[in-house]
Amino acid sequence: GELYFNKVEQILHQIQEANEGVARLQTSPRGTLRVHSRVLVGNQHVAPALPEFARRYPEIAVDLLLSNFAVDLVAQGIDVDIRTGKLEDSSLIARKLASSERIVCATPSYLQTRPPLETPADLAHHNCLTYRLHLGRAVWRFLDGARSLTEVPVTGNLQSDNGQILLTATLCGQGLAIMPDWAVRDEIADGRLVRVLPDYRASHIEFDDGIFALFQQSRHTPTKIRVFVDYMASYFKERLG
């Protein structure tokens, strides 16, 4: 019995040493970090944030993938997924990086040549650039201050599953688009775009919005993941307030 106890105690000690060794490795951020992001936020914010991240953590190599499709973090070997909009129920850990809302916007030149926009119903007289969610007719949804919902079927001469394409077309004066506020922050500030229907919350799908970092649950989150998520949270706080 004593021999068995000593043997078990020795094994447990070895396991503890091994765990401590792994923990020491995790405290030094290094290795390849595979990050997936939605395309628009990836182009506008994640990619520009990487040079400073690389300066701070030179032993981490980032592999950045962009798409507008849901990814399986385990199956595809993704460490961190940057998502926008409403989150589905998930076993993943989600950290909110920024709050946001969707807004309807257009260029001043476009608005000068079109009928006034005072209510969502006035969109019937406008060229609406829409995000492609399905093959059916596009519907924009609005909530007023009393949280009364209005759904408006809209038409236009451009539909795309890429937010950057819709933003480019909007900046060229082609029509109106629903965009995340973080995507047009600078353009609204400098007057290149104007927010219309400001008394309404707008969406082409759900009203829940935001930017999130998702990663797998673990008793010991790898340091490379932790420092990246912390860094992105600080970046968005500085950029978007």
Side-chain angles (χ1 to χ4, degrees):
E2 184 178 354
L3 180 62
Y4 174 80
F5 176 81
N6 290 337
K7 193 68 174 178
V8 169
E9 187 178 38
Q10 182 180 3
I11 293 172
L12 290 175
H13 181 68
Q14 291 173 343
I15 291 174
Q16 182 180 0
E17 286 184 334
N19 287 336
E20 290 174 351
V22 171
R24 283 192 296 272
L25 286 175
Q26 289 181 329
T27 59
S28 179
R30 58 165 59 87
T32 298
L33 181 75
R34 286 176 57 82
V35 179
H36 174 268
S37 174
R38 294 297 194 265
V39 175
L40 186 58
V41 70
N43 280 322
Q44 286 202 355
H45 291 288
V46 180
L50 293 182
E52 175 61 20
F53 179 77
R55 188 190 68 79
R56 296 186 189 185
Y57 303 102
E59 294 186 45
I60 298 178
V62 176
D63 182 1
L64 178 61
L65 311 172
L66 301 182
S67 82
N68 286 326
F69 300 102
V71 295
D72 184 324
L73 273 65
V74 177
Q76 297 178 244
I78 302 297
D79 294 306
V80 181
D81 188 14
I82 306 297
R83 296 186 190 176
T84 59
K86 183 179 180 180
L87 295 180
E88 301 297 331
D89 291 338
S90 170
S91 61
L92 301 173
I93 297 175
R95 178 169 177 184
K96 193 169 190 177
L97 303 176
S99 298
S100 70
E101 63 176 331
R102 295 185 179 97
I103 64 175
V104 182
C105 54
T107 59
S109 60
Y110 169 86
L111 295 172
Q112 288 170 2
T113 63
R114 297 290 177 135
L117 265 167
E118 297 178 355
T119 71
D122 295 328
L123 291 168
H125 309 293
H126 285 265
N127 190 45
C128 298
L129 315 177
T130 57
Y131 192 86
R132 186 180 184 187
L133 297 171
H134 46 68
L135 296 178
R137 188 174 185 183
V139 175
W140 285 1
R141 310 172 76 229
F142 295 88
L143 281 177
D144 62 16
R147 297 193 62 80
S148 175
L149 176 66
T150 300
E151 295 188 336
V152 182
V154 295
T155 59
N157 58 13
L158 177 63
Q159 186 178 58
S160 177
D161 65 351
N162 187 299
Q164 187 61 52
I165 289 174
L166 296 177
L167 176 56
T168 299
T170 304
L171 286 167
C172 290
Q174 187 171 340
L176 295 155
I178 290 180
M179 300 299 301
D181 56 357
W182 49 260
V184 293
R185 182 184 179 92
D186 294 341
E187 291 81 359
I188 295 289
D190 64 23
R192 282 179 289 165
L193 291 177
V194 175
R195 180 177 183 176
V196 298
L197 302 174
D199 295 329
Y200 295 85
R201 294 180 62 194
S203 182
H204 53 262
I205 184 168
E206 302 288 346
F207 289 96
D208 294 337
D209 209 3
I211 304 172
F212 301 87
L214 281 78
F215 50 96
Q216 295 180 56
Q217 293 193 46
S218 172
R219 288 187 62 188
H220 302 289
T221 300
T223 307
K224 63 181 180 180
I225 294 178
R226 180 175 53 79
V227 297
F228 178 75
V229 173
D230 287 347
Y231 171 78
M232 291 306 303
S234 297
Y235 171 88
F236 278 109
K237 183 177 181 180
E238 180 179 339
R239 286 279 297 169
L240 304 182

